[in-house]
Amino acid sequence: PKVGVGRRCGAILANLGGYRGLLSEEMYEELTALAKSVQGARICHVNSTAAGGGVAELLARYIPMLQALGVQADWRLIHGEPEFFAITKSFHNALQGGHYGLGKAEQDLYLTVNERSAKALGNDYDLYIVHDPQPAAIRHFAGPRGAKWIWRCHIDSSAPDKDVSHFLRPLLEEYEAVVFTMDQFVLPQLASKRIAFIAPAIDPLATKNMELSADLCRRVIVDSGVDPTRPLLLQVSRFDPWKDPLGVVRAYRLVKEELPGVQLVLIGAMAGDDPEGWEILDRVEEEAANDPDLFVFTNLSGVGSMEVNAFQRGSDVVIQKSLREGFGLVVSEALWKEKPVVAGNTGGIPMQFPEPFQKHLVDNVEGCAERALHLLQHPGERGDFGRAGREHVRQHFLMPRLVRDELRLIRQVLG
Ligand code: UPG
């Protein structure tokens, strides 16, 4: 199916001027010139979910921005049965370093769904940009159609499980280019024709990141049953082992020994292609059952982008205790809102931290608790960190920079 994002295009077009205050004139001009240079090319992004998780978050803003710049871009999804998504989630975990005993039956189902998806995709585009492992074999089944293909990896695949890596590598080598967030993430022994490094970005004009008044944020927080007058820690993440939500709960409990009034909110949207989330949600909810200061919200309980925005703005310290992380859009989202962040010292997270504040990157539960408590007790430092964070994000991690980098690559690949 095609994901319709066309109507947003008008709004973004109207707002392109709004980005100009955030960008250098040079960047703005390069962006519009690049867009012009690929005009006429039909581009199709392919992934496996339209909602929940960072890739859907990115594409929902990135594609309308391309369209607003006059680039012809569509977004299409692959369909699969739950067994397929169980396998691809295991691929995801295995690429991030988990172990997976990949059998013949799993390979067959993965390839069958990809073959079916390749047929359904048709032949209408000049360039396909395929995201993450779920649809990665589509290119293999698409045959020699004359189109160009880019594979975009959103996760940390620097130390993958050997069997999964061995299985995926030849499929990825068929692409004209592959994109990783950082050079450390390149799959070992990957012999691709072209490898590019592009960091993701957030959209400052999206509902998730737009300015909200302090009063509105307070009302959203009160409406959820959280006390806005007491200290508030927040983690916004899919319920995924790599995001370590149970580690966040343990860190919060350590903070609470010193600061009894502290509260923790965990917000976790359930993504359509992430079957593992339900089990972890159950375990987190068990933890919350007897703790009136521990709140668990999901998109199923009506917590969407606006609420996430309000909670990010209304919390005192944002946590992102990832054990592995391709990038972690939530880190930039929080810093953009001038919030201090305590986060896992892993993958794409450190590059989002302004250098003087990298001491708030942590390696374990105790470190996370210690840094969070320190920041809760030092409001001046929270303010300094937040302001430096916003400026760092403005310079490096806003959507127009991502669009520019991807357009540069698209132009090279189209030749
Ligand atoms: N989000 C919600 N509601 C929730 C939970 C998450 O809106 O309840 C949003 C969150 O605000 C963010 C996105 O979902 O915008 C999550 O993105 P991210 O923090 O980047 O995590 P992943 O879903 O794991 O995204 C994958 C990679 C990640 C990378 C991203 C884009 O794991 O490291 O930043 O893809 O490349």
Side-chain angles (χ1 to χ4, degrees), residues 36-105:
K36 221 173 187 175
S37 75
V38 303
Q39 244 163 33
R42 297 156 304 166
I43 298 170
C44 180
H45 283 264
V46 184
N47 82 321
S48 57
T49 181
V55 180
E57 183 83 24
L58 265 182
L59 292 180
R61 300 300 300 185
Y62 166 81
I63 292 175
M65 190 161 175
L66 280 181
Q67 292 171 342
L69 286 162
V71 178
Q72 210 177 311
D74 280 337
W75 175 6
R76 303 190 62 161
L77 302 176
I78 62 162
H79 255 326
E81 36 285 87
E83 297 75 23
F84 170 77
F85 287 120
I87 294 168
T88 57
K89 186 67 203 294
S90 301
F91 279 18
H92 173 106
N93 290 340
L95 286 177
Q96 294 221 118
H99 174 65
Y100 183 45
L102 175 62
K104 173 89 172 65

Side-chain angles (χ1 to χ4, degrees), residues 52-55 57-58 92 96 132 152-156 181 200 202 208 236-238 240 243 267-270 297-299 303-305 308 312 320 324-331 333 352:
V55 180
E57 183 83 24
L58 265 182
H92 173 106
Q96 294 221 118
D132 274 345
R152 198 335 170 184
C153 181
H154 291 271
I155 55 187
D156 173 353
T181 294
I202 61 160
K208 172 73 51 72
V236 178
S237 272
R238 289 180 298 102
D240 175 298
K243 312 287 186 184
I267 300 181
M270 310 307 289
F297 302 125
T298 70
N299 50 330
V303 174
S305 292
V308 169
Q312 285 171 329
Q320 187 53 44
R324 286 282 172 128
E325 193 65 80
F327 182 73
L329 292 170
V330 279
V331 172
E333 288 168 5
Q352 299 179 65

